[in-house]
Amino acid sequence: MTTIAIETTPAASPSGACCAPLVREAADPAAAAELARSFKALGDPTRVRLLSIVAAHDGGEACVCDLTEPVGLSQPTVSHHLKILVDAGLLAREQRGKWAYYSVVPGSLDRLGALLNEAAK
C-alpha cells in the first residue's frame, strides 16, 4: 500500500510572514466607516424596499405620502426609515409645503456597487 503525504501548512512568504501580502490598497478607516454606515442603513428590508421604490418612481423621486402604502407602515415609521437613508447619504430630502419628497442621491448606488466590486476582486 502506498501512502501519500499532503502538506496542509501554507508555505511562509519570503518575508517570514505567515500570510500573503496585500496586492492592492485596503479600505482606509474613513471609507470603511462610510461604507459601514450605508450597509447598516440597508440592513433593514423595509429600507431596502423604500430605496428601491423611490428609485423606481416616475422622475426618480417620491413623496413620503406615496411610500406608506407599499410598505404597509405608518407615516412616522416610514419617515424614520427614510431619515436613516438620508443620514447614510443614499437619499436626499426636499421639503415642499407640508410634504417631504425623497430622491436617490446621484452616484450613491454606483459608489456602493463600485466598492463592492472592488472588494470582490
Side-chain angles (χ1 to χ4, degrees), residues 36-59:
R37 189 178 75 217
S38 296
F39 284 139
K40 185 174 181 180
L42 293 172
D44 182 285
T46 298
R47 290 193 284 270
V48 172
R49 186 136 161 72
L50 286 168
L51 181 64
S52 175
I53 293 168
V54 170
H57 246 73
D58 186 30

Side-chain angles (χ1 to χ4, degrees), residues 25-39 88 111-112 115:
E25 195 69 30
D28 63 68
E34 179 184 350
L35 189 57
R37 189 178 75 217
S38 296
F39 284 139
R111 186 178 70 249
L112 275 178
L115 288 169

Side-chain angles (χ1 to χ4, degrees), residues 7 18-19 24 30 37 42 45 48 51-52 54 62 67 72-73 83 88 94 99 105-106 108-109 120:
E7 186 176 320
C18 66
C19 301
R24 66 179 183 279
R37 189 178 75 217
L42 293 172
V48 172
L51 181 64
S52 175
V54 170
L67 299 172
L73 297 171
K83 180 183 183 320
E94 181 184 339
W99 295 109
V105 172
S108 63
L109 300 180

Side-chain angles (χ1 to χ4, degrees), residues 2-15:
T2 305
T3 303
I4 300 174
I6 300 174
E7 186 176 320
T8 58
T9 306
S13 68
S15 67

Side-chain angles (χ1 to χ4, degrees), residues 65-111:
C65 63
D66 296 325
L67 299 172
T68 55
E69 186 179 326
V71 294
L73 297 171
S74 68
Q75 187 273 323
T77 301
V78 170
S79 291
H80 169 74
H81 285 299
L82 292 168
K83 180 183 183 320
I84 291 170
L85 291 167
V86 168
D87 291 346
L90 298 169
L91 289 180
R93 181 182 187 275
E94 181 184 339
Q95 191 71 34
R96 297 183 198 160
K98 72 176 194 168
W99 295 109
Y101 287 78
Y102 293 86
S103 59
V104 176
V105 172
S108 63
L109 300 180
D110 291 335
R111 186 178 70 249

